[in-house]
Amino acid sequence: MTDDDRWGYLAGARFVGPDEWEEEAERYLYESLHLSALSEGLVKAADSEGRLIDWLPNEFYAGALSDALRSEHDPEDWKLTYDRFVASVLLEAMSTLTRKGLLAHRGNGDTADYRLALPAPSER
């Protein structure tokens, strides 16, 4: 469904902040290592209301997702390398999270906006 602010999301889903999303989303992602890792980056990138405005996949990948996945053994300036393969996997993963009701989506010209959401209890 789409609301008045053009957010498209799974019917019955509700918008949440990063803290609540981090606590609850894992139960939907436990079977998928890459979606679980992606969720850590989304929590880091979201504002206090769970919004990721003007989301650009290459900037997210080298920024918040790299920060989430960096280990104590990596140099502080370590970054993931964004390429064509990563682009397709990342966009598919974001689409999967949207279909599961864990993200709302809104087109925004040359960028996209996402918002953290949780599906309705009946979808759990």
Side-chain angles (χ1 to χ4, degrees):
M1 63 184 299
T2 304
D3 68 12
D4 292 341
D5 291 326
R6 300 181 351 267
W7 288 109
Y9 53 93
L10 187 67
R14 62 187 176 87
F15 300 141
V16 296
D19 292 338
E20 184 177 359
W21 195 79
E22 185 174 31
E23 288 177 22
E24 298 291 326
E26 189 60 34
R27 77 174 71 177
Y28 303 98
L29 305 175
Y30 67 89
E31 78 283 354
S32 174
L33 184 60
H34 77 285
L35 292 180
S36 185
L38 177 60
S39 72
E40 293 179 40
L42 292 172
V43 165
K44 285 187 173 296
D47 68 14
S48 63
E49 294 182 34
R51 296 174 303 190
L52 297 100
I53 305 298
D54 294 329
W55 185 85
L56 294 168
N58 58 328
E59 290 178 13
F60 168 76
Y61 196 75
L65 191 56
S66 291
D67 293 344
L69 295 178
R70 186 179 302 109
S71 79
E72 66 275 0
H73 305 292
D74 294 320
E76 285 187 36
D77 62 346
W78 177 86
K79 300 285 182 194
L80 293 164
T81 302
Y82 188 78
D83 59 24
R84 280 180 235 152
F85 178 76
V86 166
S88 62
V89 172
L90 183 56
L91 292 176
E92 175 60 28
M94 295 296 281
S95 178
T96 297
L97 291 176
T98 302
R99 285 191 311 271
K100 287 179 173 268
L102 295 167
L103 287 177
H105 177 266
R106 175 173 71 184
N108 195 21
D110 292 338
T111 65
D113 295 338
Y114 287 98
R115 191 161 186 183
L116 304 178
L118 291 172
S122 63
E123 298 293 325
R124 293 183 183 182

